[in-house]
Amino acid sequence: MSKAGDSIGIIGIGYVGLVTATCLAELGNNVVCMDIDAEKIDLLRQGGVPIYEPGLAELIGKNKGRMTFTTALEDVFSRCEIVFTAVDTPPTFTGDADLSRVFAVVSALPGLSSNRHILVMKSTVPVGTGMKISIELARQEINNIDYVSNPEFLREGSAISDFLNPDRIVIGSREAAAGQKVAALYQHMRAPVLETSIPTAEMIKYASNAFLATKISFINEIANVCEEIGADVTEVAKGMGYDKRIGSHFLKAGIGFSGSCFPKDVTALKQIAGNSGYHFQLLTAVIEVNELQKRRVVNKLKKYLGTLTDKTITLLGLAFKPNTNDLREASSIVLASRLLGEGAYVKAYDPVAIPDAARAVRGVLLCDDTLSAVEDSDAVVLVTEWDEFAHLPLAEMKQRMHQHLIIDGRNFLDPAEVKAAGFTYEGIGRS
Ligand code: UGA
């Protein structure tokens, strides 16, 4: 059997796919990027970049000679031995991951190529999926494709540096040789490489995200207790974080975790456990705490403003975190609909996510900058800790607003500065 070319294929050019493709090109590989979305592929061919990720446009520009874009799977399999799959696996209404896009790729495999290939799973798929795919390949008598699980640990907003400077590389395979070929792609990175079985690699991904989400829900509950007893969660987290066994990361209290990964993966892991007969009690609490955390801001507003009917509330930041335009599962969406449900007028400004917000948050007046967003407002809620919000134009805001209340949903602002400007300030879990 002959061998396909040396290019690397990437199927599914979303956040993970495009970052993976670009970084593999940066490492010196030729990459063939495939997506079924013809508009996106056209845009990339013309030098456009469909997502906002710091440094990505520049890196694509730098490596454009090594990147080609296509909507045809055949192009990928005719040119590439190693083919990454990074299609999305959104949650279904049961909380299970929707694997239809993954299986669309697998079922297209017969007839695509008789060359030897390694199909590398980058998409986050439920534990057991790799084995299912291997069985499906065997059932279809496709013997020329090895399957490798290589989960990603990229954070939106710092995905490029996370890819190029990973904490670890996880490779799950049945055939050691296939795993080693994938591992070789990362050989110049100074990171431990963990070679495991396929289900173990899949579980490492879920367990990592679920643990980080648990840390956030834990500190959010500590914050809520701090509010009751007059302690300051930012100091508590600092004091905890110095303990190396705990670590200081992911102990920032706020209005809950959101985005395309944590909510989906925590729920999926709970479902995976449930489907196998185990009730994952801890994760049930992590999810519930997170849902309630997004809504606590509403009570904070009521504490100062009374009824929210006909009040104008301004949300500063809509993206699920800074340095991304991603609004998936964003706390801002839940908060905005709760506020609209209370009869408030909601205005919002985000430095990057406004075009996407027009679709995601209906009924909210989207503004071009902070000052127009706070005009005639009764309160500001800081939802996303964008750098440009670190030092708000407080004096001008005071003149434009009806009432002078700031709820800092990310404990991002300097309370002394805000209060000195004549505002009432409340953060999350801050005395
Ligand atoms: C997360 C993981 O951090 C990545 O390792 C993983 O690869 C990725 O999911 C994925 O599965 O693809 P991401 O969702 O981009 O990355 O963002 P994070 O920086 O982890 O933040 C997630 C959410 O937690 C955000 O809403 C953030 O505001 C919130 N968060 C984070 C807190 O509320 N407190 C913290 O201390 C940290």
Side-chain angles (χ1 to χ4, degrees), residues 280-336:
F280 206 143
Q281 233 165 325
L282 186 58
L283 286 189
T284 307
V286 168
I287 295 164
E288 194 183 325
V289 168
N290 196 52
E291 281 314 308
L292 295 174
Q293 198 68 14
K294 297 177 197 169
R295 292 160 170 81
R296 279 178 69 86
V297 168
V298 175
N299 284 340
K300 286 180 189 284
L301 289 166
K302 282 184 178 170
K303 189 168 85 185
Y304 296 99
L305 302 178
T307 174
L308 299 184
T309 306
D310 293 337
K311 298 278 171 19
T312 301
I313 312 295
T314 299
L315 306 184
L316 287 186
L318 291 166
F320 89 93
K321 65 177 204 176
N323 298 321
T324 176
N325 61 338
D326 200 339
L327 285 154
R328 282 177 285 179
E329 302 287 327
S331 299
S332 61
I333 298 175
V334 175
L335 188 55

Side-chain angles (χ1 to χ4, degrees), residues 152-156 205 209 250 252 258 261 321:
E152 54 86 16
F153 302 99
L154 310 176
R155 285 164 301 171
E156 288 182 23
K205 166 70 189 192
N209 273 3
F250 281 72
K252 273 195 243 141
S258 39
C261 306
K321 65 177 204 176

Side-chain angles (χ1 to χ4, degrees), residues 109-412:
L109 293 177
L112 275 177
S113 157
S114 58
N115 294 320
R116 263 225 92 72
H117 297 282
I118 302 173
L119 188 67
V120 189
M121 189 56 67
K122 268 277 173 214
S123 308
T124 301
V125 291
V127 182
T129 304
M131 291 311 274
K132 258 194 234 161
I133 292 177
S134 301
I135 291 166
E136 180 60 18
L137 292 175
R139 194 187 63 77
Q140 295 185 40
E141 295 180 2
I142 303 175
N143 302 316
N144 57 325
I145 297 188
D146 290 315
Y147 179 93
V148 170
S149 166
N150 174 213
E152 54 86 16
F153 302 99
L154 310 176
R155 285 164 301 171
E156 288 182 23
S158 51
I160 291 169
S161 101
D162 285 350
F163 189 99
L164 297 172
N165 310 290
D167 288 338
R168 77 298 212 185
I169 288 149
V170 176
I171 311 262
S173 64
R174 287 168 80 192
E175 305 295 328
Q180 279 154 15
K181 271 196 179 164
V182 178
L185 295 175
Y186 301 98
Q187 65 190 341
H188 297 301
M189 295 178 182
R190 271 175 298 177
V193 177
L194 207 64
E195 290 185 41
T196 69
S197 70
I198 294 169
T200 301
E202 292 167 342
M203 190 61 172
I204 288 171
K205 166 70 189 192
Y206 276 106
S208 301
N209 273 3
F211 183 76
L212 293 170
T214 303
K215 247 182 137 177
I216 298 170
S217 275
F218 179 84
I219 201 66
N220 281 337
E221 289 223 281
I222 294 289
N224 300 343
V225 178
C226 283
E227 286 178 6
E228 298 300 320
I229 60 168
D232 186 326
V233 73
T234 57
E235 298 289 314
V236 172
K238 200 168 166 189
M240 289 168 64
Y242 282 126
D243 185 327
K244 291 190 188 65
R245 294 168 302 172
I246 298 173
S248 58
H249 298 292
F250 281 72
L251 283 182
K252 273 195 243 141
I255 54 171
F257 58 77
S258 39
S260 65
C261 306
F262 283 179
K264 162 178 83 78
D265 291 351
V266 175
T267 307
L269 181 52
K270 184 186 138 155
Q271 287 308 118
I272 292 163
N275 294 346
S276 65
Y278 182 75
H279 176 55
F280 206 143
Q281 233 165 325
L282 186 58
L283 286 189
T284 307
V286 168
I287 295 164
E288 194 183 325
V289 168
N290 196 52
E291 281 314 308
L292 295 174
Q293 198 68 14
K294 297 177 197 169
R295 292 160 170 81
R296 279 178 69 86
V297 168
V298 175
N299 284 340
K300 286 180 189 284
L301 289 166
K302 282 184 178 170
K303 189 168 85 185
Y304 296 99
L305 302 178
T307 174
L308 299 184
T309 306
D310 293 337
K311 298 278 171 19
T312 301
I313 312 295
T314 299
L315 306 184
L316 287 186
L318 291 166
F320 89 93
K321 65 177 204 176
N323 298 321
T324 176
N325 61 338
D326 200 339
L327 285 154
R328 282 177 285 179
E329 302 287 327
S331 299
S332 61
I333 298 175
V334 175
L335 188 55
S337 23
R338 278 297 312 118
L339 292 171
L340 291 168
E342 294 282 336
Y345 299 107
V346 184
K347 297 172 81 180
Y349 164 64
D350 186 285
V352 168
I354 291 293
D356 307 82
R359 285 188 300 274
V361 283
R362 297 200 183 278
V364 174
L365 181 62
L366 301 171
C367 304
D368 293 334
D369 53 39
T370 298
L371 287 175
S372 54
V374 303
E375 191 79 52
D376 296 329
S377 182
D378 292 287
V380 162
V381 181
L382 188 130
V383 180
T384 315
E385 65 276 38
W386 284 98
D387 276 350
E388 77 168 67
F389 298 147
H391 298 288
L392 292 168
L394 294 165
E396 274 185 84
M397 283 169 62
K398 185 144 185 264
Q399 283 171 8
R400 293 185 183 220
M401 290 173 68
H402 268 315
Q403 300 192 61
H404 304 120
L405 170 63
I406 297 187
I407 306 291
D408 181 358
R410 295 286 172 190
N411 291 342
F412 184 58

